[in-house]
């Protein structure tokens, strides 16, 4: 199942074919077997490509991405607060800058969530957590 972010909530969308005809059990088993092969092929492809591009991830990589997202969020909100101190309507350039800052925050947040999903799904190997 995939998840689609809309405004401030997620809705679940099934993007997989689900056969409705259950009259032939042998055909159903063949179809399920084929679909399992397809899903495994997608898993293996993701694991190979993602691991090749990102290597082993560790808590430090997640922390750097989380810090980047936190900075982006803070910059976006700080800009909005600064703009709210003025007594005029926002101009197109101000709105564009604010939208750019929000977009940067959203993109970094989505990248963090994507990397987390990659670990959950087994596409990425996680290195050991640092010892304290």
């Amino acid at each position: 199942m995939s998840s689609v972010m809309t405004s401030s909530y997620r809705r679940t969308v099934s993007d997989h074919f689900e056969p409705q005809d259950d009259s032939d059990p042998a055909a159903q088993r063949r179809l399920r077997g084929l679909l399992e092969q397809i899903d495994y092929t997608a898993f293996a492809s993701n694991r190979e490509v993602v691991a090749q591009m990102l290597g082993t991830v560790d808590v430090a990589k997640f922390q750097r991405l989380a810090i980047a997202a936190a900075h982006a969020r803070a910059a976006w909100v700080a800009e909005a607060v600064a703009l709210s101190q003025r007594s005029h309507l926002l101009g197109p350039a101000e709105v564009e800058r604010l939208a750019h800052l929000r977009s940067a925050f959203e993109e970094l947040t989505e990248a963090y969530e994507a990397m987390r999903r990659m670990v959950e799904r087994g596409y990425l190997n996680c290195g050991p957590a640092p010892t304290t």
Side-chain angles (χ1 to χ4, degrees), residues 38-86:
I38 291 168
D39 287 344
Y40 180 76
T41 300
F43 166 79
S45 299
N46 272 292
R47 185 170 184 152
E48 180 180 332
V49 171
V50 169
Q52 185 179 34
M53 290 190 78
L54 296 178
T56 300
V57 296
D58 56 9
V59 173
K61 280 187 182 179
F62 276 96
Q63 183 180 22
R64 285 190 299 272
L65 199 48
I67 289 171
H71 280 286
R73 174 186 278 168
W76 168 44
V77 173
E79 181 74 10
V81 169
L83 290 171
S84 72
Q85 301 300 318
R86 301 178 186 167

Side-chain angles (χ1 to χ4, degrees), residues 6-64:
T6 309
S7 297
S8 63
Y9 67 92
R10 291 189 186 273
R11 63 184 168 93
T12 303
V13 178
S14 175
D15 59 352
H16 295 286
F17 170 73
E18 296 178 13
Q20 300 300 317
D21 182 20
D22 57 353
S23 60
D24 183 1
Q28 287 289 318
R29 282 191 299 278
R30 281 192 303 275
L31 181 57
R32 277 194 302 275
L34 175 61
L35 292 173
E36 283 181 19
Q37 285 180 322
I38 291 168
D39 287 344
Y40 180 76
T41 300
F43 166 79
S45 299
N46 272 292
R47 185 170 184 152
E48 180 180 332
V49 171
V50 169
Q52 185 179 34
M53 290 190 78
L54 296 178
T56 300
V57 296
D58 56 9
V59 173
K61 280 187 182 179
F62 276 96
Q63 183 180 22
R64 285 190 299 272

